[in-house]
Amino acid sequence: MDDKDRQIIRALQRDGRMSNQDLAAMVNLSPSPCLRRVRNLEKSGVIEGYSARVNARAYGLAITAFVHIRLERHDEETVQNFERQIDGMEEVLECHVMTGQTDYQLRVVVESLDAYERFIRTQLQRLGGIGSIDTSFAYGTIKNSTVFPAR
Amino acid sequence: MDDKDRQIIRALQRDGRMSNQDLAAMVNLSPSPCLRRVRNLEKSGVIEGYSARVNARAYGLAITAFVHIRLERHDEETVQNFERQIDGMEEVLECHVMTGQTDYQLRVVVESLDAYERFIRTQLQRLGGIGSIDTSFAYGTIKNSTVFPAR
DNA sequence: TAATATTTGGCAGACCATGCTAATAGTGAG
DNA sequence: CTCACTATTAGCATGGTCTGCCAAATATTA
């Protein structure tokens, strides 16, 4: 992982479908060594994959909520059950284990406030073992970058 | 935006570098109408771009922090200044305007706790106009999906 | 039903990816 | 300082992919 690798990574975070030729030109390499570096980054797991960035509202997901959750108990079974179930919920895009007052922070996307209430009541609450749920809604996004800082 | 468009979107959120031929096969279209749909989604802004998903730790960013910020005042100038400066900070990947107790939630990535302290003191605090800063660190990620729910 | 608009499929030329080989640069021991 | 060795790079050729164009098919409206 040298400087060229980081250049490649940032270029592909900006535009993941950029052609290998353009990428090579951008980092001052010829295409074939450039491609080898990309493949290595992929195989070693540094690059985990590629995704389309999609406008959530245009897709029909008007609501983005950050949900802070505390569990009632922290025994193995409660924790594992919670995490397994969360993993299966399509509306939950992210789930982080947190320091501080809450155990987990979720990022949830749904189409409406009604759908959010439905999600909380019929999905989250039903899990059991949940101590508290605290929701904040995002009603605007100033910045949403996919590019890591340069180092 | 019909069902096929949504299928295309979800497929490209899963694998943004998938070839148009494979994508077409997956949604039961021939390559050319499939490509046309993709281009339309791009031009209309539904698909905003494509990115490589990169392992932050492998890149050298060990710390992910969610930072909750309240401004001292909410006059036009303070707000605009804050948002413009935030936009220029590479360490801030996301900045959302929030409902509830705090005005903004940031997602910040840095290489170490030292670097985080440096970021807070020499970047954030220096902005001025900030009422309170409250940080939670993510020390694990259960889920990090790029694929929207099916609808 | 007929006319129109929209979407689709197939084809061809240009572009790109990628394995192979040779050349170059970097490294360490003598 | 030189030589041998390794790692990395560049160039080339082949095969695959993209994408614009035109005709056919499908859906829509009157």
Side-chain angles (χ1 to χ4, degrees):
Chain A
M1 166 77 65
D2 58 10
D3 208 59
K4 281 231 150 61
D5 282 336
R6 273 186 286 268
Q7 274 183 271
I8 288 174
I9 286 173
R10 278 161 49 85
L12 288 177
Q13 285 181 319
R14 234 172 275 119
D15 178 6
R17 291 201 74 148
M18 158 179 246
S19 82
N20 183 59
Q21 302 194 12
D22 292 350
L23 179 61
M26 185 164 290
V27 300
N28 296 315
L29 278 178
S30 76
S32 66
C34 180
L35 183 63
R36 188 152 359 152
R37 281 172 176 271
V38 173
R39 292 290 174 262
N40 278 342
L41 290 168
E42 289 168 356
K43 226 179 331 196
S44 66
V46 179
I47 294 179
E48 296 169 343
Y50 301 86
S51 307
R53 297 190 302 270
V54 179
N55 184 308
R57 187 151 299 157
Y59 181 86
L61 298 167
I63 305 283
T64 295
F66 290 93
V67 186
H68 299 266
I69 293 180
R70 244 191 305 186
L71 297 185
E72 266 172 2
R73 300 171 305 284
H74 297 83
D75 55 292
E76 191 78 357
E77 199 202 319
T78 306
V79 169
Q80 294 227 342
N81 177 56
F82 176 81
E83 297 186 355
R84 191 163 29 83
Q85 302 276 351
I86 285 292
D87 197 47
M89 296 181 188
E90 282 194 321
E91 298 90 340
V92 179
L93 296 190
E94 298 175 28
C95 174
H96 304 281
V97 187
M98 302 301 291
T99 66
Q101 299 87 340
T102 62
D103 296 332
Y104 297 98
Q105 175 176 298
L106 275 50
R107 178 203 193 111
V108 175
V109 292
V110 288
E111 55 187 327
S112 64
L113 274 181
D114 273 12
Y116 184 71
E117 195 201 351
R118 218 163 29 242
F119 168 77
I120 294 293
R121 292 166 81 134
T122 71
Q123 306 256 96
L124 259 192
Q125 303 271 27
R126 295 255 172 97
L127 278 186
I130 291 181
S132 72
I133 298 179
D134 186 43
T135 300
S136 311
F137 295 101
Y139 71 98
T141 296
I142 305 304
K143 185 175 186 180
N144 197 353
S145 171
T146 55
V147 184
F148 286 161
R151 302 207 55 203
Chain B
M1 167 77 67
D2 59 9
D3 208 61
K4 280 227 152 60
D5 282 336
R6 273 186 287 267
Q7 274 184 271
I8 288 174
I9 286 173
R10 278 161 50 85
L12 288 176
Q13 284 182 318
R14 233 172 275 121
D15 177 8
R17 291 202 74 148
M18 159 179 244
S19 83
N20 183 58
Q21 303 194 11
D22 292 350
L23 179 60
M26 186 164 290
V27 301
N28 295 316
L29 278 179
S30 77
S32 66
C34 181
L35 182 65
R36 191 153 352 155
R37 280 170 177 271
V38 173
R39 292 290 173 263
N40 279 342
L41 290 168
E42 288 168 357
K43 227 179 329 193
S44 65
V46 179
I47 292 179
E48 296 169 343
Y50 301 87
S51 307
R53 297 190 303 269
V54 180
N55 184 309
R57 188 150 298 156
Y59 182 88
L61 299 167
I63 305 283
T64 296
F66 290 94
V67 185
H68 299 265
I69 293 181
R70 244 190 306 187
L71 296 185
E72 266 172 2
R73 299 171 306 282
H74 296 85
D75 55 293
E76 192 80 357
E77 200 202 320
T78 306
V79 169
Q80 293 226 342
N81 178 56
F82 176 80
E83 298 187 354
R84 190 162 31 82
Q85 302 276 352
I86 284 292
D87 196 48
M89 297 182 187
E90 282 194 323
E91 298 90 340
V92 179
L93 296 190
E94 298 175 28
C95 174
H96 304 279
V97 187
M98 302 301 290
T99 66
Q101 298 89 338
T102 62
D103 295 332
Y104 297 97
Q105 175 176 298
L106 276 51
R107 179 202 194 111
V108 175
V109 292
V110 288
E111 55 187 327
S112 63
L113 272 180
D114 272 13
Y116 184 72
E117 194 202 351
R118 218 161 33 242
F119 169 76
I120 294 293
R121 291 166 79 135
T122 71
Q123 306 257 97
L124 260 193
Q125 304 268 27
R126 295 256 172 95
L127 278 186
I130 291 183
S132 71
I133 297 179
D134 186 44
T135 300
S136 310
F137 295 101
Y139 68 98
T141 295
I142 305 303
K143 184 175 187 179
N144 198 355
S145 171
T146 56
V147 185
F148 285 162
R151 299 204 61 206

